[in-house]
Amino acid sequence: RGAGTSRAPERKPLTPAEVSALAAAMPPHLRAAALLAAYSGLRPGQVFALRRRDIDLSDPTNPTVTVERTQTRTRAGQSAFGPPKTAAGWRTVAIPATVARALADHLDAYTAQGANALVFTTPVGGVVSASYRSRAMVAARATIGRNDVTWHHLRHTGATLAAASGATMAELQARIGHPSTQAAAIYQHALAGRDAQIAAALDAFAAAPSNVIPLRARTA
């Protein structure tokens, strides 16, 4: 039993401090991409397929990115773009204000004008291929001492942090664009150790003198 099943090693999510350090260690034109990947739950191919028109920063209280396509590879090994693999992949994701500010700065400094301009490119305006971004990741992760980290770790981190913030199973499923609740359950399971922390926080309410309920009848 299980002989034909391959289990990938568990991905250890990054802490918010590690995310910031990793982004700072990236080449300047990829720093916002690292932050976005870590706090949005987008797949790497979706991050690097974003166009200027997919970024909506017009409402400071609800900045979003919209996923309408993903980066793919042709049989010749060239980068291309196509629709998300599943209907769930088509989605609009709200992003933290901190990430929105980084994106705004990035758009001003590195993104060409025009609604269809790629948000993230190489310094000469080319497509950021999987191999290109992997080389950048190898150098950045060595700087923070996390040689296990890949761009997919950032997606995992985004989903885990969303679960930590209190996202429900359905909300996680919608945010990461997964067609089933299986992936959402994995991210929530990763936070099982937080149950003790939650119980400790609840104890602060339960232990308040006015809330203590006697379990035995008082004797005269």
Side-chain angles (χ1 to χ4, degrees):
R1 179 180 297 181
T5 302
S6 175
R7 290 185 174 85
E10 182 178 357
R11 293 191 179 104
K12 178 184 176 183
L14 283 76
T15 66
E18 287 176 325
V19 170
S20 296
L22 182 75
M26 285 282 178
H29 63 288
L30 294 181
R31 288 172 184 169
L35 290 174
L36 177 62
Y39 286 103
S40 68
L42 269 63
R43 299 178 185 276
Q46 295 168 346
V47 170
F48 291 100
L50 291 171
R51 300 154 294 186
R52 186 180 276 273
R53 73 181 192 184
D54 300 322
I55 310 295
D56 186 356
L57 307 179
S58 60
D59 182 356
T61 65
N62 186 35
T64 64
V65 297
T66 297
V67 177
E68 294 183 343
R69 63 182 196 164
T70 190
Q71 191 181 58
T72 61
R73 295 183 67 182
T74 66
R75 290 185 177 180
Q78 300 298 313
S79 294
F81 301 99
K85 293 181 179 180
T86 65
W90 296 72
R91 65 200 188 280
T92 295
V93 178
I95 57 174
T98 301
V99 177
R101 288 191 292 271
L103 271 177
D105 291 342
H106 175 91
L107 290 171
D108 288 342
Y110 301 107
T111 302
Q113 296 302 312
N116 289 321
L118 280 173
V119 173
F120 303 108
T121 66
T122 65
V124 296
V127 175
V128 177
S129 65
S131 59
Y132 180 96
R133 62 180 179 257
S134 292
R135 288 193 297 270
M137 174 62 76
V138 168
R141 71 189 186 188
T143 301
I144 68 168
R146 283 291 305 270
N147 290 329
D148 60 311
V149 174
T150 67
W151 283 95
H152 280 284
H153 273 80
L154 298 185
R155 169 173 159 83
H156 180 87
T157 294
T160 302
L161 292 176
S165 73
T168 65
M169 186 90 68
E171 290 166 341
L172 275 176
Q173 181 182 346
R175 188 169 180 84
I176 64 179
H178 204 276
S180 74
T181 59
Q182 180 181 3
I186 292 172
Y187 298 124
Q188 288 193 326
H189 174 72
L191 294 169
R194 272 182 43 82
D195 199 38
Q197 299 175 26
I198 294 170
L202 291 173
D203 187 57
F205 296 110
S210 60
N211 296 333
V212 174
I213 301 174
L215 299 182
R216 295 182 180 180
R218 296 183 182 274
T219 57

